[in-house]
């Protein structure tokens, strides 16, 4: 294989050769290294030169060896490392014009006219100030005789692009910042561990988490762990918060709950801005009669390697940042690279910073309604979900008797992380509104065969305490089954009628999608199916049409990258080893591709592209060249990911054997098949919080049909719908349209898979690239 790039990089793309600098600034966050790697490799792949600026703005001011050109292999292995390998530091010098003048001089000396900064709002504000002053700084450098007019001629304009690296997720205009979900994962792991001892001793725990001005971590941790009470800066408790908190906790205890969890953001205060400390909450609960402990998580929240989502996010945003630099004109405003639901977008940097500062100003002015509004819509929605799913009784939310429904809840397909959290949310919402949640255990076969078993059948009304602690549990507490209604459609209809189901909430994968399709199509023959139905996609494969995200896929990716990191560690230790790892996913290559993006896989084989001998020959040749250049560098292990159905001929074992044969002793190969390990154990925080949000939204959709006749329901195409993320929106789509227009029934996947656009980026950043001639 021939390459024109550096150290195995793909050949340069057409365009002006430039030098692009990347730096990390402010507090470190897991995922920053992934952003640096993506910027460096995308810069080189685009025919430009990449420079790392060490120790943040301090390195920019000090210059010299603090600003270094980096090559392709210099960022090898960065994705799996926590913190920031190029360093970050506070820099008082850069806040002064004199310091910024030095920074400008250093950039001219290095020939850099574009900066990509990964940091918080302070870091990004400083960067844009630097950009605005740039022409004046250059003039001053010329006037002082430090540079000549000729030297500055190619650098008249400075391009700045921001990436938000912050565990607090405190930047407006983006749903997530690099590092926030890794931090949330550390919190949830800690609370999950504390949960066990709290339940054992019937204790209360007060957990203090980071967030001086932003309550995102506290809110999401509350949703993820089923906390009893949370305290966040944006929406502080009322003056009677002590009585309210004790009342809620008292109700939960009377219902039989053995433990109490209260999560307090470090910036928590009351409505008069008086600080509320963890110890104050602890003392109150102790006075209430509970054996109470305080746990302050501190900087453990920043630590560790990035989770799959932050690796993916940092990689996609880093690549987009380089594109933004190359597409910028002198009139282009500095952008910040954001994500809205599932879509990477560019937003005006200064506007994002302004809105962020407005939140703090609104809090200071005690305008908490405005503070909540200034956070994205998702934030307010999660706050509502927390409130409606945590309180056992909410009389104000009860619907009139005639609007109340019996809502069946069923899991269909294989287990996936988040199924139980979605069911818990649905049960809590039903009870808050006066509906009756009815669990249909063990899927449709369980319903048909065991509905009238004695003493306990498969159709059971669910109480609050039954489901209260399900959010943290993996698998399926009500059981799931791949069986479809068509296996006994008549008995299914009989059971719907017998147990007087008014609506159906179906959680599961492609089988769940197929089941609701069958029920919809059978409405003409069976009036029992003329009820509203919603599918909430939940499958590790993420192959359900109508959505870009399925519950369980994030849990799967986290489990898979942990497995891959361990394999890479082994491969790196032996220096000359390749692991061929088989992923789940059915006929969809989503898991393999996103995992490949998240771990920096050398190659990813998917069913959509298939595998051929020419492809394997070139990949093996690429391996030969890569190992031939290796001179004992660290992080040298290689990973190849193969989806389980990428090829019937070229199995995981066959590919490994071919590599071993063709290596002729210069390197070796091993296989790894994680199998059902990929389903994970405890659901990831993302799967938990999205399960809660989507569960509540699904029930809200179903109750819109309360009071309507069966004929009215049957005629409404939205009465059989699927909820999902589509681009930058969460929306319901009619099953009929998705079935007929967007479903590849043969391969059990969507016709158009959004993630396919990421596949060239996986190849580009691995050095595999388009130059290998793949079709």
């Amino acid at each position: 294989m021939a390459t024109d790039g550096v150290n195995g990089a793909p050949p340069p793309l057409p365009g002006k050769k430039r030098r692009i600098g990347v730096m990390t600034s402010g507090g470190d966050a897991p995922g920053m290294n992934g952003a640096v790697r993506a910027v460096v490799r995308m810069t080189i792949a685009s025919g430009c030169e990449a420079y790392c600026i060490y120790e943040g703005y301090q390195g920019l001011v000090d210059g010299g060896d603090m600003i270094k050109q980096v090559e392709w292999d210099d960022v090898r292995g960065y994705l799996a490392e926590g913190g920031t390998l190029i360093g970050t530091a506070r820099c008082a010098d850069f806040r002064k014009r004199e310091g910024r003048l030095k920074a400008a001089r250093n950039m001219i000396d290095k020939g850099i006219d574009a900066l990509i900064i990964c940091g918080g709002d302070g870091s990004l504000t400083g960067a844009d100030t630097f950009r605005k002053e740039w022409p004046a700084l250059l003039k001053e450098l010329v006037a002082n005789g430090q540079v000549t007019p000729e030297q500055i001629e190619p650098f008249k304009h400075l391009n700045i692009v921001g990436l938000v690296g912050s565990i607090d997720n405190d930047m407006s205009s983006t749903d997530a910042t690099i590092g926030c979900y890794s931090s949330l994962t550390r919190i949830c792991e800690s609370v999950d561990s504390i949960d066990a001892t709290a339940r054992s001793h019937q204790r209360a725990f007060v957990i203090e988490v980071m967030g001086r001005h932003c309550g995102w971590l506290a809110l999401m941790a509350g949703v993820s762990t089923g906390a009893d009470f949370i305290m966040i800066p944006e929406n502080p408790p009322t003056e009677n918060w002590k009585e309210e908190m004790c009342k809620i906790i008292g109700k939960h205890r009377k219902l039989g709950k053995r433990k109490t969890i209260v999560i307090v953001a470090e910036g928590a205060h009351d409505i008069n801005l008086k600080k509320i400390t963890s110890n104050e909450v602890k003392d109150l609960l102790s006075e209430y009669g509970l054996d109470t402990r305080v746990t302050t998580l501190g900087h453990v929240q920043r630590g560790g390697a990035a989770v799959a989502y932050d690796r993916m996010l940092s990689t996609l945003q880093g690549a987009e940042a380089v594109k933004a630099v190359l597409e910028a004109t002198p009139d282009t405003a500095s952008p910040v690279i954001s994500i809205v639901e599932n879509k990477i977008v560019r937003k005006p940097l200064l506007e994002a910073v302004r809105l962020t500062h407005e939140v703090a100003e609104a809090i200071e002015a005690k305008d908490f309604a405005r503070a909540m509004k200034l956070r994205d819509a998702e934030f307010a929605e999660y706050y509502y979900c927390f409130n409606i799913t945590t309180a056992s009784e909410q009389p104000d939310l009860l619907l009139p008797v005639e609007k109340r429904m019996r809502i069946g809840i069923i899991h269909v397909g294989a287990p996936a992380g988040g199924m139980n959290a979605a069911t818990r949310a649905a049960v809590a919402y039903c009870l808050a509104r006066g509906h009756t949640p009815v669990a249909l255990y063990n899927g449709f076969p369980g319903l048909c065969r065991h509905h009238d078993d004695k003493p306990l059948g498969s159709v059971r009304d669910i109480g609050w305490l039954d489901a209260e602690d399900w959010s943290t549990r993996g698998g399926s507490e009500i059981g799931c089954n791949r069986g479809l209604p068509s296996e006994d459609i008549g008995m299914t209809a009989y059971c719907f009628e017998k147990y007087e189901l008014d609506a159906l909430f179906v959680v599961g994968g492609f089988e769940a999608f197929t089941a609701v399709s069958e029920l919809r199509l059978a409405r003409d023959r069976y009036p029992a199916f003329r009820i509203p139905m919603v599918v909430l996609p939940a499958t590790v494969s993420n192959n359900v049409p109508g959505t870009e995200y399925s519950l369980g896929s994030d849990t799967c990716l986290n489990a898979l990258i942990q497995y891959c990191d361990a394999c890479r560690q082994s491969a790196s230790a032996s220096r000359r080893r390749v692991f061929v790892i088989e992923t789940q996913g059915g006929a969809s290559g989503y898991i393999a591709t996103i995992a490949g993006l998240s771990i920096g896989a050398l190659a990813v084989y998917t069913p959509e592209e298939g595998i051929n001998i020419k492809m394997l020959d070139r990949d093996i040749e690429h391996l030969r060249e890569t190992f031939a250049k290796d001179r004992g560098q660290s992080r040298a292990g290689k990973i190849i990911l193969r989806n389980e159905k990428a090829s019937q001929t070229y199995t995981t074992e066959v590919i490994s054997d071919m590599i071993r044969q063709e290596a002729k002793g210069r390197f070796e190969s091993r296989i790894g098949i994680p199998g059902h390990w990929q389903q994970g154990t405890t659901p990831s925080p993302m799967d938990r919080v999205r399960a809660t949000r989507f569960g509540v939204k699904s029930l809200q959709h179903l109750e819109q049909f309360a009071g309507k006749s069966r004929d009215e329901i049957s005629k409404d195409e939205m009465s059989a719908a699927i909820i999902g993320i589509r681009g930058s929106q969460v929306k319901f789509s009619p099953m009929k349209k998705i079935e007929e227009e967007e479903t590849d029934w043969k391969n059990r996947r969507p016709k158009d898979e959004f993630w396919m656009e990421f596949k060239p980026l996986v190849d580009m950043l691995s050095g595999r690239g388009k130059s290998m001639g793949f079709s």
Side-chain angles (χ1 to χ4, degrees), residues 559-560 563-564 580-584 672-679:
L560 185 56
Y563 184 92
C564 291
V580 184
I581 296 174
E582 182 174 298
T583 75
Q584 290 188 335
I673 303 179
H676 284 78
W677 165 267
Q678 293 164 84
Q679 289 181 351

Side-chain angles (χ1 to χ4, degrees), residues 509-525:
F510 199 89
E511 289 86 358
F513 177 83
T514 305
V516 173
S517 174
E518 289 183 354
L519 295 175
R520 184 188 70 80
L521 292 171
R523 279 173 165 173
D524 287 345
R525 291 176 291 147

Side-chain angles (χ1 to χ4, degrees), residues 424-469:
R424 173 186 180 271
V427 168
Y429 185 86
C430 281
L431 296 174
R433 302 286 278 169
H435 304 306
T436 302
V438 183
L440 311 179
Y441 278 74
N442 302 318
F444 285 102
L447 172 69
C448 294
R449 299 171 193 165
H450 305 291
H451 66 94
D452 56 357
D453 283 3
K454 305 297 181 186
L456 193 64
S458 60
V459 180
R460 307 174 203 168
D461 291 3
I462 297 288
W464 181 83
L465 194 62
D466 296 326
E468 193 281 325
D469 64 348

Side-chain angles (χ1 to χ4, degrees), residues 579-655:
F579 268 89
V580 184
I581 296 174
E582 182 174 298
T583 75
Q584 290 188 335
S588 170
Y590 171 82
I591 289 297
T593 300
I594 302 303
L597 198 68
S598 301
I599 65 165
L602 182 132
V604 174
Y605 302 136
T606 65
E608 289 81 359
E609 291 181 322
I611 307 175
N612 58 57
I613 191 66
K614 188 177 180 181
M615 182 186 295
L616 292 172
D617 180 55
R618 287 173 171 166
D619 282 339
I620 293 170
E621 179 62 24
H622 181 41
L623 280 169
R624 287 197 197 100
E625 293 191 359
T626 299
F627 282 121
K629 292 174 185 175
D630 190 282
R631 294 295 181 267
Q633 296 106 314
S634 61
R635 309 185 185 101
K638 305 298 179 187
I639 300 286
I640 291 173
L641 296 179
R642 176 193 172 274
N643 166 277
E644 60 188 343
K645 292 191 176 180
S647 170
Q648 291 184 336
T649 303
Y650 298 108
T651 65
T652 303
E653 292 83 355
V654 166
I655 292 171

Side-chain angles (χ1 to χ4, degrees), residues 357-435:
H357 289 169
E358 278 193 25
V359 178
E361 292 165 4
I363 292 171
E364 192 65 28
K366 302 181 184 178
D367 189 350
F368 303 117
R370 177 164 172 73
M372 288 293 289
K373 189 175 180 181
L374 284 167
R375 293 287 183 217
D376 56 50
E378 188 182 75
F379 188 90
E381 207 170 320
Y382 277 119
Y383 188 80
Y384 172 78
C385 289
F386 173 79
N387 285 332
I388 206 165
T389 57
T390 195
S392 56
E393 295 177 10
Q394 302 187 63
D396 294 345
L397 295 176
L398 286 173
L399 291 168
V401 174
E402 66 273 11
K403 292 284 188 179
R404 299 178 191 178
M405 309 166 78
R406 284 179 56 80
I407 299 179
I409 303 171
I410 191 168
H411 295 176
V412 183
M419 278 182 157
N420 292 320
T423 303
R424 173 186 180 271
V427 168
Y429 185 86
C430 281
L431 296 174
R433 302 286 278 169
H435 304 306

Side-chain angles (χ1 to χ4, degrees), residues 482-504:
R482 294 181 184 274
L484 297 172
S486 54
E487 293 176 14
D488 195 341
I489 195 76
M491 179 57 72
T492 302
Y494 169 79
C495 290
F496 275 37
E497 289 284 7
K498 178 175 179 177
Y499 296 101
E500 300 178 331
L501 299 184
D502 300 312
L504 186 67

Side-chain angles (χ1 to χ4, degrees), residues 293-311:
R293 302 287 190 275
V294 171
T295 298
T296 302
L297 297 181
H299 281 76
V300 71
Q301 296 162 82
R302 289 191 186 277
V307 297
Y309 182 82
D310 281 326
R311 298 189 194 193

